[in-house]
Amino acid sequence: MSKRVAVLTSGGDAPGMNACLRAIIIGCQRQGFKLIGYKHGFNGLINQEFIPLSLESTHNLIQYGGTILQSARCEAFKTPEGAKTAAVNLANVGIDTLIVIGGDGSFRGANHLSQYWDGQIIGIPGTIDNDIAGTDATIGYYTAIDTAMSSIDKVRDTADAFERLFLVEVMGRNAGFLALNAALSSAADYVIVPEFFDNDKNEISRIVKQINGQRALKGEVSFIIVVAENVWPNGLTGLASALNKHGIKDVRPVTLGHVQRGGSPVAQDRLLASSLGNHAVNLVGQAQTNIMVGELNHRVVSVPLSDTWRKQKPLNDTRVAAMKTQMNERY
Ligand code: F6P
């Protein structure tokens, strides 16, 4: 039977969200499902702001960053009234399945909606942070690593020219996936991630030891520290002043910021987005609901939505080991 499907993108946008929308549009078209897109995340559900999505919308879409549906973080949706209004609106439009592309905040929102709406809910992981359990990677993560890596390569050019110490802050919210992988792929000298941060005193003595060790061996050389956001007390300013107190001067902070959310998605994000979007449409009308589709060991899987934030996803051990070796390689 023909189904009515709705899709929205929510939370921090991520490169590849458009590629995922494209796969969903094409999948729905092939299966003869009606598809609408809600704009501005869950706000669109509350405000009944939606557009029809058809094959014309897919032209030239796969390579664009951002999201053609726009995104938002929606406080009103967290309230019972907000979710009830959304449920009534979905019922009025006759939606059978809602697909939510976003991160864990968006999945919590979708789960909250399920208390008031009995349609099918399918989540697709889209966030540069990769902090979602039940999938090896999230849409946007690979592009963000690439952006951070190439930015750090550029920082290194000027760092080398002045033999300076640079602190580079990368996003990731409360997880170190982006920081670790950006640091490893750009051969940074040190990385600070929440998963291994005990306290600033211990960390600063490790950093100072590394810098002094490297300078004793090679003289004045550049040194790049990649710092995950939200870890160091008072951010890069706090870290720079702690280093100053240990006699390490001329430190330059660089915050990469929202640049990491933009740009054309790399192939890995387009591929993940295309597979997960297509798979989500294949599940439309089946009994499974309140699930996220993800990819584990190159296989598409479905996991309960609540597992995605209740379970902890660890950093990849071999990447951690490689970074530890990189940090200590000169001693
Ligand atoms: O979740 C994606 C993300 O970019 C995080 O890495 C970052 O902490 C946060 O969103 C920034 O959010 P906003 O765009 O609301 O400042």
Side-chain angles (χ1 to χ4, degrees):
M1 207 180 79
S2 177
K3 297 282 176 194
R4 292 178 76 87
V5 180
V7 61
L8 59 85
T9 49
S10 161
D13 54 293
M17 281 184 165
N18 278 328
C20 190
L21 290 172
R22 174 181 177 274
I24 293 168
I25 296 168
I26 294 171
C28 284
Q29 173 79 21
R30 300 283 182 266
Q31 308 230 28
F33 299 156
K34 287 260 178 317
L35 177 66
I36 61 167
Y38 281 98
K39 302 203 77 177
H40 303 112
F42 292 115
N43 285 310
L45 283 185
I46 296 177
N47 303 328
Q48 307 205 65
E49 193 190 355
F50 58 85
I51 52 168
L53 291 172
S54 62
L55 282 187
E56 291 89 76
S57 337
T58 64
H59 183 67
N60 253 349
L61 191 54
I62 202 165
Q63 67 267 48
Y64 285 110
T67 157
I68 54 165
L69 292 179
Q70 278 84 46
S71 195
R73 304 188 196 276
C74 179
E75 286 304 312
F77 195 70
K78 293 180 182 160
T79 63
E81 295 70 37
K84 275 182 205 164
T85 306
V88 169
N89 290 342
L90 282 165
N92 285 343
V93 186
I95 298 300
D96 299 292
T97 302
L98 174 67
I99 301 176
V100 173
I101 309 172
D104 80 324
S106 310
F107 293 166
R108 285 171 205 253
N111 200 49
H112 176 57
L113 173 68
S114 71
Q115 293 174 36
Y116 306 96
W117 183 63
D118 59 6
Q120 185 186 27
I121 296 178
I122 303 174
I124 301 183
T127 163
I128 63 165
D129 303 331
N130 195 31
D131 55 349
I132 306 271
T135 187
D136 288 334
T138 54
I139 297 166
Y141 169 55
Y142 293 116
T143 309
I145 296 175
D146 215 58
T147 303
M149 178 196 74
S150 51
S151 306
I152 298 166
D153 286 349
K154 292 185 176 93
V155 166
R156 182 178 295 287
D157 291 342
T158 177
D160 279 346
F162 276 80
E163 291 157 341
R164 260 180 186 153
L165 194 146
F166 271 82
L167 312 176
V168 184
E169 185 181 281
V170 305
M171 281 187 167
R173 214 167 43 136
N174 300 312
F177 295 97
L178 197 48
L180 171 70
N181 286 277
L184 183 59
S185 58
S186 63
D189 301 280
Y190 202 92
V191 69
I192 301 171
V193 290
E195 290 81 351
F196 295 111
F197 183 77
D198 44 8
N199 64 64
D200 49 346
K201 287 200 177 55
N202 289 347
E203 195 77 47
I204 203 81
S205 52
R206 284 194 287 269
I207 298 172
V208 170
K209 190 168 160 239
Q210 297 275 331
I211 298 170
N212 290 338
Q214 196 177 129
R215 289 189 170 166
L217 203 67
K218 295 187 170 178
E220 279 299 308
V221 282
S222 67
F223 196 93
I224 293 181
I225 304 178
V226 172
V227 189
E229 66 174 350
N230 303 322
V231 179
W232 201 276
N234 209 15
L236 296 191
T237 316
L239 177 53
S241 86
L243 286 164
N244 262 287
K245 283 189 193 124
H246 284 80
I248 294 164
K249 312 277 181 207
D250 206 24
V251 174
R252 291 288 187 275
V254 175
T255 299
L256 298 185
H258 289 77
V259 136
Q260 296 159 98
R261 290 234 294 257
S264 179
V266 298
Q268 278 163 301
D269 279 326
R270 297 183 194 196
L271 295 170
L272 182 64
S274 302
S275 308
L276 297 185
N278 183 61
H279 188 66
V281 175
N282 287 339
L283 296 180
V284 168
Q286 294 193 12
Q288 302 177 53
T289 185
N290 269 351
I291 49 153
M292 178 196 77
V293 293
E295 214 176 65
L296 290 174
N297 298 319
H298 303 286
R299 292 246 166 253
V300 172
V301 294
S302 304
V303 297
L305 221 38
S306 55
D307 279 7
T308 64
W309 67 84
R310 287 203 185 116
K311 295 193 172 165
Q312 191 70 27
K313 180 157 86 176
L315 295 175
N316 175 307
D317 313 348
T318 48
R319 300 265 167 88
V320 170
M323 188 62 211
K324 283 190 172 160
T325 309
Q326 183 168 299
M327 281 161 57
N328 291 309
E329 67 191 351
R330 297 176 188 88
Y331 311 109

